[in-house]
Amino acid sequence: NAGVTQTPKFQVLKTGQSMTLQCAQDMNHEYMSWYRQDPGMGLRLIHYSVGAGITDQGEVPNGYNVSRSTTEDFPLRLLSAAPSQTSVYFCASSYLREEEKLFFGSGTQLSVL
Amino acid sequence: DAKTTQPTSMDCAEGRAANLPCNHSTISGNEYVYWYRQIHSQGPQYIIHGLKNNETNEMASLIITEDRKSSTLILPHATLRDTAVYYCISEGETGANNLFFGTGTRLTVIP
């Protein structure tokens, strides 16, 4: 049981480049989400999904796109990377119930030069 | 969504109980309180959650005041591996499983 798997672990981009951060879970969780964490700060919600075909914006969605074509995968796309997107990105998943704990991936450290 | 307030940092001697406080005075009656921790650069790890009653699991105990305006996470016998940032979180207004993390309490366990 792998849990929540994020790839890559590290990535360096130039301003304007695009890339996709991958997130996969093998627990059949309905809910998946993306957070970013900047130095000295807590996690901020970017986008989330409550099931295949359903996505919605979180607190800081600008500059990011998501899609949920399968239950297992929830990729995060940066269409034109900016230095302000330098951060650590965490993917999380859980069952969609009244009270449920989130399982987090190990994170992707992204630097945009 | 209810906001939480936590001390920025705390120290605890190894082997002693660590008591981490959290204020959530605006929490509504059906909002749970969750505790997570983040060790160094790892992804956050769920610890415990509660609504009204005190809760205990293999990791910690959660004491919620009767008026639900505050809670305390208790690590009964802190070890060096418990050094981490601890987040007290209430549910977000957007529902689903969205949780809003603050800056948490940095707990340092001292040998």
Side-chain angles (χ1 to χ4, degrees):
Chain A
N1 191 337
V4 180
T5 303
Q6 289 184 238
T7 57
K9 292 189 181 300
F10 303 95
Q11 183 70 49
V12 179
L13 292 177
K14 294 181 179 179
T15 297
Q17 286 185 317
S18 63
M19 80 158 297
T20 299
L21 307 185
Q22 302 291 345
C23 177
Q25 52 91 11
D26 60 0
M27 296 171 281
N28 203 30
H29 286 164
E30 304 96 337
Y31 174 90
M32 296 186 74
S33 59
W34 279 99
Y35 287 85
R36 62 176 286 175
Q37 185 173 34
D38 300 314
M41 298 182 67
L43 283 75
R44 291 183 293 170
L45 182 67
I46 305 172
H47 284 284
Y48 66 97
S49 168
V50 298
I54 305 169
T55 64
D56 209 341
Q57 296 180 351
E59 182 184 0
V60 288
N62 292 339
Y64 307 95
N65 284 345
V66 293
S67 59
R68 185 93 179 271
S69 56
T70 67
T71 299
E72 295 78 18
D73 300 297
F74 191 43
L76 179 71
R77 298 183 183 86
L78 286 71
L79 297 179
S80 179
S84 61
Q85 295 178 305
T86 293
S87 189
V88 180
Y89 292 84
F90 290 101
C91 178
S93 73
S94 71
Y95 292 113
L96 193 62
R97 295 195 283 247
E98 180 181 335
E99 48 179 300
E100 192 53 65
K101 59 184 178 183
L102 294 177
F103 290 83
F104 281 84
S106 58
T108 295
Q109 187 168 326
L110 176 67
S111 295
V112 182
L113 306 178
Chain B
D1 57 326
K3 302 299 183 185
T4 62
T5 305
Q6 300 176 253
T8 302
S9 64
M10 294 180 62
D11 292 338
C12 177
E14 186 178 17
R16 304 297 293 269
N19 297 280
L20 291 88
C22 178
N23 287 323
H24 33 79
S25 58
T26 60
I27 196 170
S28 65
N30 59 350
E31 283 183 320
Y32 286 84
V33 176
Y34 295 83
W35 283 83
Y36 284 73
R37 73 179 182 183
Q38 187 174 27
I39 297 174
H40 195 43
S41 304
Q42 299 176 20
Q45 175 191 24
Y46 166 85
I47 301 173
I48 199 168
H49 74 283
L51 183 62
K52 296 180 181 179
N53 301 320
N54 298 337
E55 302 287 345
T56 296
N57 63 19
E58 66 278 4
M59 292 184 67
S61 294
L62 176 60
I63 308 298
I64 302 174
T65 58
E66 191 169 344
D67 63 7
R68 300 209 334 118
K69 294 183 183 300
S70 65
S71 61
T72 300
L73 179 74
I74 301 172
L75 308 179
H77 304 287
T79 70
L80 298 179
R81 287 176 292 182
D82 291 323
T83 292
V85 177
Y86 287 77
Y87 297 98
C88 170
I89 303 159
S90 61
E91 296 174 88
E93 63 184 8
T94 55
N97 288 19
N98 298 336
L99 298 180
F100 286 80
F101 289 74
T103 53
T105 296
R106 180 171 297 278
L107 175 70
T108 302
V109 180
I110 303 170

